Amino acid sequence: MIRRIEPAKLSGTLRIPPSKSLSHRAVLAAALAEGESVIENLIFSEDIIATTEAVRALGVEAIQEGDKLTIRRSGTLKAPTEPLHCNESGSTLRFLIPFAGLFDAPVVFTGEGKLTTRPLDPYFDLFDRQGIKYDYPGQLPLTVHGKLKAGTFEMPGHISSQFVTGLLYVLPLLDGDSEIILTSPLESRDYVTLTLQILKIFGIQVETVTPEHYKIKGNQAFKPANYRVEGDYSQAAFWIAGGLMGDGLILKDLSEHSEQGDQRILQIVRDMGGNIEWQDGDLIVRPSKTHGAVIDASQCPDLVPICATLAAVSEGQTHVINAARVRLKESDRLLAIRTELNKLGANITEEPEGLIIEGVEGFTGGQTEGWNDHRIVMSLAIASAKASSTIEIEGSGAVKKSYPHFFEDFAGIGGNVSKA
């Protein structure tokens, strides 16, 4: 789908959609609790649908009513009789793979797009050490057959925190105590903090010795809970940039004291000279003349596309560093955002692990590609706030992966968008 966006300044008030990271985690925790849990303030994007369908395949009842999901389970989880289809959701796949270790039956995982080849090696190393059989011909489908046993789990921390999260859900259920020891520094560690937050709400205790060492008592039980998902800083980042580049915005439903790693967007834009402040629980974003900065993406890789967009029209040089993992997302995001913003007149040079961005006065218009990547599409849409002519985005429908009503929200605060 092609969308055509005319230059326009964004202004007004917007409610931020719920955190996708917390939504995944809450749905899985509720599925592991015997009884009834209610998760409120969900958006059923493609990623969250994938996780919801997966828990249904495990024998859990999940009833959707508006933005609420009621999850009921009686008895034990059931081994799925059909493949668990993860669509393009890396969280769904990596969180659920250890669940296969709860069953003495083969479990098959399938997916779409770039997910079919995203790295899974940390799990394979663990399976080899535990004698768990798996079949993986270099891409999905993956078949796992064998029960996970309690013990010490050593794995690298620099590939993805999602592997740690997957184990943290399953190890408390095993017969015996376990430890997770990371052999390299944990990147995106705040995502593990979110996991621990949700686990605690649902009755699971984990001892954090260090960010690279966790102790997990076995024979624990998840307890039902009611939980409302807070607003998503990963999505708020687009509107923060849009407000700075436009006429200002008031953003609602964000937690000022959130544990979300992408709350770093607040410090990043302040370091760039952005004028933002909290007032009565709302985040006030005022139009600002921003300047370059050094942006360390090691703990907030999802922010790279929108930070690059803001930096491209900020005075001076911005250096994005420690961003190699950004290449392993829905697209190679370093290549994608550099390519598309340069089409619009930006001056961006790509490095193996980052970007060098020389600020320009504004964007031109032009034809761009979405790279089947929701964050690339949303970043290009926000660029229109500083564009001199029409921007066309081919493949704009990719937003349905995480934020299906993005363009409705965009139009609601002044974005001038139409379908080509």
Side-chain angles (χ1 to χ4, degrees), residues 25 28-29 31-33 55 58 73 77 84 91-104 107 109 123 126-127 130 132 144 146-151 153 162-180 195-196 199 204-206 215-222:
R25 287 162 171 80
L28 290 178
L32 289 170
V55 301
L58 298 174
R73 181 171 71 80
L77 294 177
L84 295 179
S91 294
T92 306
L93 175 64
R94 287 170 168 172
F95 292 174
L96 279 167
I97 286 174
F99 281 57
L102 296 174
F103 309 112
D104 192 13
V107 179
F109 298 89
Y123 282 147
L126 296 180
F127 293 163
Q130 289 221 344
I132 293 174
V144 180
K147 299 200 78 170
L148 203 60
K149 297 176 286 293
F153 295 79
Q162 292 171 337
F163 299 107
V164 178
T165 286
L167 289 172
L168 286 172
Y169 273 89
V170 172
L171 297 184
L173 304 175
L174 302 184
D175 185 13
D177 299 345
S178 297
E179 292 183 87
I180 299 173
T195 301
L196 297 175
L199 291 176
I204 297 297
Q205 300 298 318
V206 176
K215 292 185 176 180
I216 306 101
K217 290 286 187 185
N219 300 299
Q220 297 189 60
F222 284 76

Side-chain angles (χ1 to χ4, degrees), residues 22-40 69 71 169 172-173 194-205 220-229:
L22 287 168
S23 298
H24 281 298
R25 287 162 171 80
V27 170
L28 290 178
L32 289 170
E34 188 165 7
E36 180 178 293
S37 299
V38 178
I39 312 299
E40 294 187 90
L69 191 67
I71 297 177
Y169 273 89
L173 304 175
L194 295 184
T195 301
L196 297 175
Q197 175 185 321
I198 294 295
L199 291 176
K200 185 175 181 180
I201 289 169
F202 285 84
I204 297 297
Q205 300 298 318
Q220 297 189 60
F222 284 76
K223 297 178 174 60
N226 295 338
Y227 176 74
R228 184 184 187 278
V229 184

Side-chain angles (χ1 to χ4, degrees), residues 4-6 8-11 14 239 378 380-385 403 405-418:
R4 180 179 292 116
I5 306 177
E6 304 297 334
K9 299 293 187 185
L10 303 180
S11 64
L14 185 68
W239 307 120
M378 291 187 280
L380 294 172
I382 295 299
S384 65
Y403 195 164
H405 61 286
F406 171 83
F407 283 107
E408 287 82 352
D409 281 357
F410 180 72
I413 53 173
N416 187 348
V417 58
S418 60

Side-chain angles (χ1 to χ4, degrees), residues 253-270:
D253 215 13
L254 289 171
S255 170
E256 184 175 355
H257 305 291
S258 175
E259 298 282 0
Q260 293 178 54
D262 283 348
Q263 193 193 33
R264 283 179 172 79
I265 187 62
L266 303 181
Q267 191 58 51
I268 289 171
V269 299
R270 286 178 176 132

Side-chain angles (χ1 to χ4, degrees), residues 5 23 25 46 48 60 67 81 92 114 134 193 199 205 211-212 249 252-253 266 296 312 363 389 398 412:
I5 306 177
S23 298
R25 287 162 171 80
E46 287 188 340
I48 300 305
V60 176
D67 69 350
T81 56
T92 306
K114 199 171 178 184
Y134 61 93
T193 301
L199 291 176
Q205 300 298 318
E212 282 75 39
L249 289 169
K252 293 183 169 293
D253 215 13
L266 303 181
D296 185 341
F363 296 111
S389 59

Side-chain angles (χ1 to χ4, degrees), residues 1-5 46 88 235 238-239 340 366-382 384 391-410 416-420:
M1 178 186 297
I2 299 175
R3 279 186 169 87
R4 180 179 292 116
I5 306 177
E46 287 188 340
E88 296 186 60
Q235 311 293 31
F238 298 99
W239 307 120
E340 301 310 315
Q367 296 180 329
T368 64
E369 301 282 341
W371 293 64
N372 194 36
D373 190 325
H374 52 136
R375 299 199 190 280
I376 299 300
V377 172
M378 291 187 280
S379 297
L380 294 172
I382 295 299
S384 65
I391 294 175
E392 288 190 358
I393 309 173
E394 186 166 354
S396 61
V399 296
K400 64 185 181 294
K401 184 178 193 297
S402 66
Y403 195 164
H405 61 286
F406 171 83
F407 283 107
E408 287 82 352
D409 281 357
F410 180 72
N416 187 348
V417 58
S418 60
K419 294 180 183 178

